[in-house]
Amino acid sequence: MVEALTEAGRYERALEWCQAGLDRITANDDSPQAAEYRHGLLIDRGFLRGELGIELDEDDLAAEAEANASFAQFREGLRDALSQGPSVDVPEDGEAFDGIVLRWVREDFTAVRARWLESTAHYGDDYDTYAERLQREARAYSEAGAARVRMVSATLAEFEAYTHRQGRDADAAETRRSFGEWYALTGHPERVLLWPPARNGPCWCDSGRKYKKCCGAPTKN
């Protein structure tokens, strides 16, 4: 509700909802999840108070400082990560090209990691880490000049069927790359998405959250 009211420009009403949420959490819940939610509400409250010309209190300022520090730390880490990769295939002749990012669906993540143990560092220890890596890969394609970037969401069963039909080596990284290119042209349209999606649309990673609140959040870009 706070987000909807803020987007509608109803800052005073949004501030009332925000404060009510803070009051409920402070009075009834001291769990780690509640602390994280409280921090988010404090960030929202600080923004709303600033827009309304209301002086920020100590909690607002502390939350803002913590958010700025976390963001700066993340940006520094991201610069380091991008300086080391991910590498993307770019034509040397300057021709227009599409960036294709192959994403294994959440349900298959554990099986995929077990399938290619040598790629564990690429996939990460959990799906959120994997999604962050794919977000960086998509951005790398965009920054390299791709005409468009397509996020291909496929299953391990589809990959195995592809390698069987094509007689390809399922363990070769090149086969996974060619599968992504093939799927981008022939796969289910609803699972071949243009990146980035709309900020208020569903995130490409199937988290169920809006893109701007998930992989498109400022702390991940």
Side-chain angles (χ1 to χ4, degrees):
M1 180 60 73
V2 172
E3 179 182 340
L5 290 169
T6 300
E7 290 183 351
R10 300 176 61 187
Y11 294 154
E12 292 183 355
R13 185 59 175 154
L15 182 57
E16 292 176 3
W17 274 86
C18 191
Q19 187 60 56
L22 284 167
D23 292 342
R24 284 195 300 271
I25 290 175
T26 301
N28 301 315
D29 198 339
D30 59 357
S31 67
Q33 293 83 359
E36 182 178 350
Y37 184 51
R38 180 177 183 274
H39 177 74
L41 285 175
L42 284 172
I43 294 295
D44 290 339
R45 189 180 71 174
F47 168 79
L48 293 166
R49 283 180 166 176
E51 291 296 307
L52 293 169
I54 301 173
E55 185 177 357
L56 305 187
D57 65 16
E58 291 183 0
D59 287 339
D60 297 324
L61 293 172
E64 183 179 26
E66 182 180 345
N68 289 339
S70 296
F71 181 67
Q73 183 179 12
F74 177 84
R75 293 290 293 184
E76 185 64 30
L78 181 58
R79 280 194 293 269
D80 291 343
L82 288 176
S83 67
Q84 302 171 7
S87 60
V88 294
D89 296 322
V90 178
E92 296 181 358
D93 55 12
E95 291 186 1
F97 70 99
D98 282 358
I100 297 174
V101 180
L102 173 62
R103 175 183 80 93
W104 302 111
V105 297
R106 284 179 179 268
E107 294 81 0
D108 286 357
F109 181 66
T110 300
V112 165
R113 291 183 78 246
R115 180 71 173 76
W116 294 291
L117 293 175
E118 76 281 2
S119 297
T120 299
H122 171 85
Y123 294 128
D125 293 329
D126 54 53
Y127 205 86
D128 287 343
T129 302
Y130 174 53
E132 289 179 11
R133 203 286 179 190
L134 295 182
Q135 178 79 357
R136 292 197 299 270
E137 184 177 344
R139 184 166 298 282
Y141 271 120
S142 179
E143 293 176 350
R148 57 182 177 176
V149 179
R150 286 183 284 178
M151 189 72 70
V152 175
S153 301
T155 68
L156 190 55
E158 288 168 330
F159 173 77
E160 298 289 1
Y162 166 82
T163 59
H164 180 73
R165 287 194 307 270
Q166 301 291 329
R168 303 291 295 269
D169 179 4
D171 291 328
E174 172 62 22
T175 301
R176 296 194 288 276
R177 187 187 67 79
S178 65
F179 169 69
E181 294 175 348
W182 171 84
Y183 201 95
L185 296 174
T186 64
H188 300 291
E190 68 273 14
R191 290 205 271 125
V192 180
L193 307 176
L194 287 178
W195 181 96
R199 280 178 49 77
N200 284 315
C203 190
W204 55 261
C205 74
D206 291 336
S207 64
R209 299 190 294 270
K210 291 183 179 181
Y211 176 65
K212 68 179 182 181
K213 294 289 187 179
C214 191
C215 293
T219 54
K220 296 185 179 182
N221 291 273

